[in-house]
Amino acid sequence: MFRRLMALLLISLLLVPAIIAQDTNSWNDSHSLAWEYDFETGYISTTPLFADEQIIVRTSGNSEPAVTAFDTNGKKTWQHLNPSSTSNDMSPLFHVQAGQGECGAWPEMVLVGWTNGLIEALKPSDGEVFWSIQTEVIGWGVTGQFALDGEFVVVPTRQGIGQYCLADGQQQWWTQTGLGWRNGVAVDNTGYFVGDEAGQLWHINRTGAATSHALQLGKIRHPPLLTNAGIILHTQQDSRGTIAVVHSSDGRVLQQFSTGLSPAIPSLRGDYVVTGDSSAIRLLLCTNECEIIDEVPFHTNGEIGWMDNGTILAPSNTPNSAWGLFTFDAYENLTFESLEVGIQGYGTAAPLQYLVGGTTFTAFGNDQSLLRVYSDLDLSESLSNNEFDWGVQGLIFAMFLLIGSSTVSLLNGKFDWFLRTSSLLFLIILLLIIPDLSMQWSQAFDEKFPATAPSEEWNEQWPDTWLGTQIVIFEFDGEEHTAGGFVGHDTVFSLTLTACDELGFELSSESTEIGVYVNSIAGVESNGWEFTVDGSKGIVSADQSIVESTSIIRWYLA
């Protein structure tokens, strides 16, 4: 009886190759590269648009910030430049269909908000400017998401919100709010909602009258999400984030959930909300109340894209950036797949998905200034393009031989031979599964237990004009020397050089195989200098360490 049970167990191992084969049925196997375009410099920091049968992409962070259009075969059709927009542009492109109202008629347009405060309406057919208007600039100009309200576009400016006619761009009114950054607008039947850097939630009615609620939950850097449970906000604090459900009429906090650092821009689909941060992607169901129904370790700090087929795509904002694909089943369990699209580096732009001739295309872009567009494959093409791994297939063939030999030996009572063959069998199984287990364990551990350090906090004695800008602190001789109000720097080293010029400090450095090493600042050498970014110790050299638009850098003696 025992031998028969053991034989049945061995035969059941024949299912292992089938399980392995199922794992290969992934997004990477069912998609192929359709075309790509290398911008060479600059960032793709917002999701592209599909309008007028063209893929429209904005790039910034270089000498020629631009909006560029491509036809469906990847040929560039037009490009519109704004060399005066010197900072990284993060206001998403906004597509408007043609229409008319009391202000007049307007064609199909792509609205663009720039960090130099300019708002432009471009015709998607040729990139021609239909109208433009200048708004306020306080360090930065427009960085948040627009909203459509009938014949008007509602725009969050640096320190306010304005209503503009789609027909000619004429301002109807502008109302001052708090200092904002990436502060998108939401619209309901009562008016508009927008957040600010001080954590205030503002409501503005359609005549421009504003009221505010001081939530004291952290910075609000995304358009508020309007759900049946209340307004969803994912706020940013110095050491954590908070998902809050807020009453729309009086600003009462109804629910709150603690999350990781640096929240992404949450996305809403029906009653489901997906959020992200430096620790995880979370799926919430918000009906009468909100409930976190599942989460998956993942590092994302930018846009999150909800595709038409219900899948979720998000960029990973890490040095070895990849995109994550998330699906949830009938039981609302999230599953994760890492997408390999041939672009490495930091990323905050969600992919674009569009349909041409019955084929679905997905466009990816990140801080490497490379746009890559993938197309779906049919099943037969997918199978023909799968790479045949002779090593794995050889191990699987050996498994079949050993299973058969072990089963026969066991049934015939040859236990010595059975032990030998079964030992080899289990060794092969381990060889097949250990690489995947090791990779998954490493990723889960890194995401679950990220390196932590005290956060750098805003000093109330600093000028208000430094809010929302980049700041550098030099600590030596028992004193702090601080410079701020900087914008547009991408690395710690670039920002530090500017701060030294501001303070009159001389900086000495040398290039090494692993990057720039800072020897002395203001003539002070000791054993060299080290730095933190927003409280976290730098783990790469200063010229390779990326900074955000509001980062605080601290230099101190090693």
Side-chain angles (χ1 to χ4, degrees), residues 402-460:
L402 290 171
I403 288 171
S405 177
S406 298
T407 303
V408 171
S409 299
L410 180 64
L411 292 174
N412 290 333
K414 298 179 179 179
F415 293 105
D416 183 57
W417 184 250
F418 164 73
L419 290 174
R420 294 179 183 179
T421 55
S422 60
S423 297
L424 286 173
L425 172 63
F426 284 104
L427 177 61
I428 290 175
I429 293 174
L430 287 174
L431 288 173
L432 287 170
I433 67 174
I434 279 179
D436 284 342
L437 289 176
S438 175
M439 181 181 65
Q440 293 173 13
W441 168 258
S442 176
Q443 179 182 4
F445 185 87
D446 289 343
E447 296 288 356
K448 197 69 177 178
F449 303 103
T452 58
S455 296
E456 194 72 63
E457 296 184 356
W458 170 262
N459 189 327
E460 297 297 336

Side-chain angles (χ1 to χ4, degrees), residues 91-94 111-114 118-120 142-148 153-156 184-186 223:
S91 177
L93 299 174
F94 195 76
L111 300 183
V112 189
W114 300 92
L118 192 66
I119 305 170
E120 293 184 311
V142 179
T143 58
Q145 181 176 308
F146 298 175
L148 195 63
V153 60
V154 185
V155 179
V185 177

Side-chain angles (χ1 to χ4, degrees), residues 58 65 81-89 112-120 133-143:
R58 81 173 306 161
L81 301 176
N82 180 6
S84 299
S85 190
T86 56
S87 300
N88 299 338
D89 288 293
V112 189
W114 300 92
T115 55
N116 69 334
L118 192 66
I119 305 170
E120 293 184 311
I133 188 168
Q134 182 66 45
T135 65
E136 60 173 349
V137 178
I138 303 176
W140 295 71
V142 179
T143 58

Side-chain angles (χ1 to χ4, degrees), residues 332-370:
E332 298 173 335
N333 297 313
L334 277 175
T335 59
F336 164 71
E337 179 184 351
S338 179
L339 306 188
E340 300 297 333
V341 298
I343 312 176
Q344 298 297 314
Y346 292 92
T348 58
L352 163 70
Q353 199 171 77
Y354 61 95
L355 191 68
V356 176
T359 300
T360 301
F361 293 84
T362 311
F364 298 87
N366 71 352
D367 288 2
Q368 301 306 302
S369 68
L370 181 62

Side-chain angles (χ1 to χ4, degrees), residues 274-295:
V274 60
T275 71
D277 52 55
S278 296
S279 64
I281 285 279
R282 292 176 179 83
L283 183 67
L284 290 81
L285 176 61
C286 295
T287 51
N288 295 326
E289 291 185 335
C290 286
E291 172 191 6
I292 297 178
I293 55 180
D294 203 2
E295 62 182 75

Side-chain angles (χ1 to χ4, degrees), residues 71-136:
D71 66 20
T72 54
N73 295 315
K75 179 182 177 181
K76 188 197 297 187
T77 54
W78 56 262
Q79 185 174 65
H80 174 73
L81 301 176
N82 180 6
S84 299
S85 190
T86 56
S87 300
N88 299 338
D89 288 293
M90 292 162 291
S91 177
L93 299 174
F94 195 76
H95 185 206
V96 178
Q97 297 291 349
Q100 64 179 25
E102 293 184 6
C103 286
W106 61 89
E108 182 182 11
M109 300 184 298
V110 174
L111 300 183
V112 189
W114 300 92
T115 55
N116 69 334
L118 192 66
I119 305 170
E120 293 184 311
L122 308 180
K123 295 180 180 179
S125 57
D126 56 11
E128 179 185 348
V129 178
F130 181 61
W131 56 257
S132 66
I133 188 168
Q134 182 66 45
T135 65
E136 60 173 349

